[in-house]
Amino acid sequence: TLLTEKCILIYVISLTSKVFNAKTAELLSHHQVEIQQKFPKEGWVEQDPKEILKSVHECVERTCEKLQQLNIDITNIKAIGVSNQRETTVVWDKTTGEPLYNAIVWLDLRTQSTVERLLKRIPGNNKSFFKFRTGLPLSTYFSAVKLRWLLDNVEEIRQAVDDGRAMFGTIDSWLIWCLTGGKNGGVHCTDVTNASRTMLFNIHSLDWDPELCQFFDIPMEILPKVRSSSEIYGLMKSGALTGVPISGCLGDQSAALVGQMCFQDGQSVFSDHGLLTTIAYKLGRDKPVCYALEGSVAIAGAVVRWLRDNLGIVKTSQEVEKLAAEAGTSYGCYFVPAFSGLYAPYWEPSARGIICGLTQFTNKNHIAFAALEAVCFQTREILDAMNKDCGIPLSQLQVDGGMTNNKVLMQLQSDILCIPVVKPSMPETTALGAAMAAGAAEGVGIWSLNPGDLTAVTCERFEPQINPEESEYRYARWKKAVMKSMGWETSEAPSNGDTSIFCSLPLGFFIMSSMIMLIGAKYVSG
């Protein structure tokens, strides 16, 4: 029966391709390719856009081969969706199709001096000055300051802008342009979810803001056209899927929100407690835009890889769960993984990672437990901020992503929040969300987003197992550790590339952020 089912192929910029059955949402096949990250200086994180594109092509071709081995005709693939890491910034030459510099990854810190220089032009040095237009504070996190740095520091980019050859985009824009023809008529576009993370986009008018572009001194002609998250942008121009429409585009966290089927209308609420107001999705040209409150955490799942690759206390990520289970407690050890500063709710770039509360009794098991606990404490901080901003009590937390396979982590999260944690049986909700957007697009129409038509999701549920007093005590100690991590670095400090914490991070997938989003009364943790 699979031969007659229509399927959606999804490219995910963690460089995994996945194929879903549009009738049942079943994952049929997938393939993934690791890509390198580059750490040329302390705090700098880059990726090669051409390697990303090459890996996408490889993923697509191999996935198609796997489908054929399953006797599934690839002509049943009816649409393509893109889900990508947001904020990562690329500038390329539209006449040659070549990138003009490596992609600057979202957690890159080189722009701290750029942020400080821009702040001096804002009344009262107010980081939140543009928040009511963009939903965002001025931070190294967002694309505008990365693009400003490129314009200030890369002569090839300045010259390309002067010559009218430059194009800017996040990873979705770069891929869609390349896959739809590149220098031979490629479509230069992005969707509202990615545009809303640049600090150049007005989240109310749903267009690039001329005054913001003027403030950052960024020429508007290099920006992509902003489209909805679900419409046909163009057709594939090469490979096994030539002629298949690319019809879904969502930033990774928004895609997870769609995959979790959170379709209650959101309102544009601005946070007074360190959260971001962002666009959740706009599922069609004529569909309404929905907003979300979001908390962004720089280092969550990456702390497990850090234990593996930097400290070497485990050989595989899965062993961290075993060590933590053996310990059963951190024995007073607290780990703040502020490797790239602290994001929500602090927005403090001067913070650095610390492990505190160590005694002679502390061993690697306790550190493993503290690392998992750190992920949960960061989630707790963001949910506390959400409750203060919107006043909606949280009855349960819906989670997704690779870390949800760690049962110790899921139980810890429930214990620290004192509410149930609910994990879908198919955790690939980011890929699923982009597939749903692609399949639902006008002109494709093979995936219904009506709540009554959506496939029911089976879930695993984790209930709190400790008393609230213990949870509050541990949380208070975590907050104390966070305070000690702040103020460690300044932009004036001399940089020594030999001591960079980044140069020893693993080469592989980009470091995924952990996000919490709210739409109406529904939450998603990634």
Side-chain angles (χ1 to χ4, degrees):
T1 58
L2 292 176
L3 285 169
T4 61
E5 294 287 349
K6 298 177 179 178
C7 305
I8 306 297
L9 179 66
I10 185 98
Y11 310 124
V12 187
I13 305 313
S14 58
L15 298 184
T16 304
S17 60
K18 295 183 172 71
V19 180
F20 292 91
N21 184 308
K23 301 294 184 184
T24 65
E26 176 191 3
L27 178 62
L28 300 178
S29 181
H30 67 93
H31 185 76
Q32 66 183 30
V33 175
E34 291 193 4
I35 62 168
Q36 287 189 344
Q37 287 200 124
K38 304 175 188 297
F39 309 98
K41 295 183 181 180
E42 182 175 3
W44 292 31
V45 190
E46 299 177 358
Q47 291 174 335
D48 181 351
K50 293 178 71 174
E51 183 184 358
I52 292 174
L53 178 62
K54 179 182 176 182
S55 299
V56 165
H57 282 300
E58 181 181 344
C59 278
V60 171
E61 297 302 316
R62 287 300 310 277
T63 302
C64 288
E65 291 173 8
K66 290 179 179 180
L67 284 174
Q68 290 170 331
Q69 291 169 6
L70 294 170
N71 294 322
I72 298 175
D73 189 343
I74 63 171
T75 61
N76 283 321
I77 295 173
K78 302 301 180 185
I80 297 165
V82 175
S83 174
N84 62 289
Q85 50 177 309
R86 305 169 301 173
E87 297 94 16
T88 297
T89 299
V90 188
V91 180
W92 66 93
D93 188 322
K94 66 182 178 183
T95 61
T96 66
E98 294 292 312
L100 294 167
Y101 194 82
N102 277 337
I104 300 181
V105 176
W106 58 271
L107 50 63
D108 185 286
L109 293 176
R110 77 186 69 187
T111 55
Q112 184 55 38
S113 59
T114 304
V115 169
E116 292 172 2
R117 176 167 51 84
L118 292 168
L119 268 176
K120 293 177 181 177
R121 297 171 49 198
I122 296 176
N125 292 344
N126 181 7
K127 290 183 179 179
S128 299
F129 187 74
F130 298 119
K131 197 168 185 180
F132 289 100
R133 293 192 197 192
T134 66
L136 314 173
L138 185 60
S139 165
T140 60
Y141 187 15
F142 306 110
S143 304
V145 292
K146 293 175 170 57
L147 181 53
R148 183 66 258 156
W149 187 93
L150 289 167
L151 292 167
D152 290 338
N153 292 278
V154 182
E155 175 60 32
E156 291 85 351
I157 289 180
R158 285 198 297 268
Q159 189 61 54
V161 170
D162 292 341
D163 296 344
R165 296 181 284 110
M167 284 183 165
F168 153 79
T170 42
I171 295 296
D172 58 304
S173 297
W174 162 247
L175 283 185
I176 291 174
W177 186 79
C178 291
L179 296 175
T180 57
K183 63 182 180 180
N184 299 313
V187 178
H188 189 210
C189 70
T190 188
D191 89 302
V192 290
T193 67
N194 283 290
S196 72
R197 312 295 293 195
T198 61
M199 285 208 81
L200 301 173
F201 187 74
N202 189 310
I203 61 174
H204 306 291
S205 66
L206 302 184
D207 208 346
W208 302 118
D209 190 299
E211 292 183 10
L212 289 170
C213 292
Q214 184 178 14
F215 174 80
F216 288 101
D217 194 18
I218 290 172
M220 296 186 71
E221 58 268 20
I222 73 173
L223 304 178
K225 182 177 180 180
V226 182
R227 312 274 287 271
S228 76
S229 307
S230 178
E231 61 179 271
I232 295 176
Y233 312 110
L235 305 179
M236 279 284 285
K237 291 295 178 65
S238 63
L241 300 183
T242 297
V244 177
I246 301 175
S247 54
C249 180
L250 290 152
D252 47 13
Q253 307 302 333
S254 290
L257 201 64
V258 174
Q260 289 271 14
M261 302 176 190
C262 296
F263 293 129
Q264 295 183 18
D265 290 344
Q267 293 181 323
S268 181
V269 178
F270 290 92
S271 174
D272 294 320
H273 299 91
L275 302 180
L276 309 177
T277 302
T278 195
I279 293 181
Y281 46 72
K282 186 178 188 295
L283 296 175
R285 287 185 227 181
D286 302 322
K287 300 294 184 180
V289 64
C290 289
Y291 297 89
L293 280 178
E294 177 181 316
S296 308
V297 176
I299 301 295
V303 72
V304 172
R305 291 195 294 274
W306 186 85
L307 293 177
R308 182 192 68 193
D309 296 297
N310 289 45
L311 292 193
I313 65 174
V314 293
K315 293 182 179 179
T316 67
S317 298
Q318 291 72 27
E319 288 180 46
V320 173
E321 179 179 7
K322 181 181 178 181
L323 292 183
E326 290 175 358
T329 174
S330 69
Y331 201 76
C333 172
Y334 289 85
F335 190 165
V336 182
F339 302 153
S340 301
L342 290 169
Y343 284 7
Y346 302 102
W347 299 104
E348 183 49 70
S350 71
R352 287 297 179 270
I354 64 169
I355 302 175
C356 55
L358 300 176
T359 70
Q360 286 183 312
F361 182 74
T362 306
N363 60 36
K364 64 181 181 180
N365 295 23
H366 302 124
I367 292 174
F369 191 98
L372 296 185
E373 230 179 7
V375 176
C376 303
F377 285 134
Q378 290 179 100
T379 303
R380 167 74 185 268
E381 288 188 306
I382 289 168
L383 293 183
D384 282 356
M386 284 191 171
N387 284 332
K388 292 174 184 175
D389 278 327
C390 65
I392 300 175
L394 184 66
S395 59
Q396 66 180 32
L397 183 73
Q398 295 171 229
V399 299
D400 63 73
M403 288 196 79
T404 62
N405 293 321
N406 187 321
K407 293 184 182 296
V408 172
L409 176 66
M410 293 296 94
Q411 186 58 55
L412 269 175
Q413 187 68 84
S414 179
D415 291 343
I416 289 168
L417 295 179
C418 300
I419 58 173
V421 168
V422 179
K423 170 195 169 184
S425 57
M426 200 286 288
E428 301 291 348
T429 53
T430 298
L432 177 60
M436 292 166 66
E442 182 179 354
V444 179
I446 61 169
W447 204 311
S448 171
L449 298 182
N450 294 324
D453 297 332
L454 295 172
T455 303
V457 178
T458 58
C459 298
E460 186 176 2
R461 189 178 180 92
F462 297 84
E463 300 282 350
Q465 293 182 355
I466 66 173
N467 62 58
E469 290 77 17
E470 181 182 349
S471 176
E472 291 300 321
Y473 173 78
R474 286 156 62 175
Y475 183 46
R477 300 277 284 182
W478 155 264
K479 300 281 278 189
K480 184 178 180 180
V482 168
M483 293 300 106
K484 292 183 181 296
S485 76
M486 293 188 183
W488 192 262
E489 287 292 342
T490 65
S491 60
E492 291 79 21
S495 175
N496 180 351
D498 293 336
T499 61
S500 170
I501 193 169
F502 290 93
C503 57
S504 56
L505 282 170
L507 297 179
F509 292 144
F510 64 91
I511 300 174
M512 292 291 294
S513 60
S514 174
M515 302 286 183
I516 314 294
M517 287 188 178
L518 164 68
I519 285 200
K522 293 199 174 184
Y523 294 78
V524 176
S525 172

